[in-house]
Amino acid sequence: MRKIKVAPSIFASDFINLKRELDRLKQLGVDYIHYDIMDNNFVPNISFGPLITEQIAKYSGIPGDVHLMISLSIEKVSRFMLENIEIVTIHYEADGFSKDIIDFIKSNNKKVGISIKPQTPVEAVVPFIDIVDLVLVMTVEPGFSGQSLIPSTISKVSKVREILDKYNRDIYLEVDGGVNLDNVQTLVNSGANLLVIGSAFFKNNNSEMIMDLVKHLNKIK
Ligand code: DX5
Ligand code: ZN
């Protein structure tokens, strides 16, 4: 069984004090930094792009987990093939989604993820299950941090876990949106092993408690 890992979403951090936030992430020993890339097309919001991602990844030295909430093309995706970026995840529902993009990401020696929104059935990932390194189950509608987890998404996590077991795929099952101290245990019990945490990490001052809880869960696993 894979270790449970934590990927704080930098989108929820204090950008005025970004350096301090990054130093703290290093100190806490987080596994990844999660980068929420939004294009005001696939989602109704704009975040930041490759330039800022590159600088944060370089300064922090922490492996990067890029979550592309954008309409897709090889050209756009190629801008995120950056140093210290380990995972690039694309949305099944995005315009331009194709196996070619998955292959392109892999050919750049990155791990590739496929993400589904709360309304998308889990079966959507099955045709890609043998070629991806990660399945991301969105637990909120993508676009904004600070939302509450949608309860019906928890059974989707269990269903994806069943699919991964059935196909013998020991890959990441990532959850993203409204993850906090109160639901981490449930999500992990449902099969999640990569936790994206935004507001609960940066805004509610729970970072240490979250890291301790995950350490504990890894011990009793
Ligand atoms: C939502 C993003 C999430 C979000 C996480 O579109 O993909 O990564 O920023 O933030 P919280 O944990 O606050 O929901
Ligand atoms: Zn995200």
Side-chain angles (χ1 to χ4, degrees), residues 4-41:
I4 303 150
K5 295 192 173 174
V6 178
S9 165
I10 205 68
F11 187 50
S13 71
D14 175 4
F15 280 99
I16 299 297
N17 292 300
L18 188 55
K19 189 168 179 288
R20 202 192 297 157
E21 299 275 51
L22 295 175
D23 291 342
R24 183 148 169 71
L25 293 183
K26 281 197 260 186
Q27 229 180 47
L28 286 165
V30 305
D31 300 287
Y32 288 100
I33 289 180
H34 182 85
Y35 297 90
D36 285 308
I37 311 298
M38 306 178 182
D39 66 351
N40 210 26
N41 182 14

Side-chain angles (χ1 to χ4, degrees), residues 7 9 11 34-38 65-69 91 115 136 138 140 142-143 174-177 196-197:
S9 165
F11 187 50
H34 182 85
Y35 297 90
D36 285 308
I37 311 298
M38 306 178 182
D65 170 37
V66 168
H67 178 195
L68 294 177
M69 288 166 276
H91 265 270
S115 179
L136 166 53
M138 286 305 297
V140 299
E174 183 173 43
V175 286
D176 182 10
V196 177
I197 312 180

Side-chain angles (χ1 to χ4, degrees), residues 96-111:
F97 172 88
S98 72
K99 184 177 171 292
D100 285 354
I101 306 237
I102 292 177
D103 291 341
F104 173 76
I105 295 169
K106 288 175 79 165
S107 71
N108 280 274
N109 294 319
K110 306 290 182 198
K111 291 192 173 76

Side-chain angles (χ1 to χ4, degrees), residues 35-106:
Y35 297 90
D36 285 308
I37 311 298
M38 306 178 182
D39 66 351
N40 210 26
N41 182 14
F42 179 67
V43 288
N45 200 0
I46 304 176
S47 57
F48 50 85
L51 190 104
I52 289 176
T53 303
E54 184 175 33
Q55 291 192 23
I56 295 175
K58 232 186 210 166
Y59 173 78
S60 68
I62 297 170
D65 170 37
V66 168
H67 178 195
L68 294 177
M69 288 166 276
I70 63 173
S71 50
L72 298 162
S73 68
I74 300 269
E75 200 271 321
K76 284 191 207 168
V77 172
S78 68
R79 296 182 205 157
F80 293 91
M81 299 301 122
L82 303 166
E83 203 184 317
N84 287 345
I85 298 300
E86 187 179 306
I87 308 167
V88 177
T89 294
I90 57 175
H91 265 270
Y92 169 77
E93 308 86 352
D95 284 346
F97 172 88
S98 72
K99 184 177 171 292
D100 285 354
I101 306 237
I102 292 177
D103 291 341
F104 173 76
I105 295 169
K106 288 175 79 165

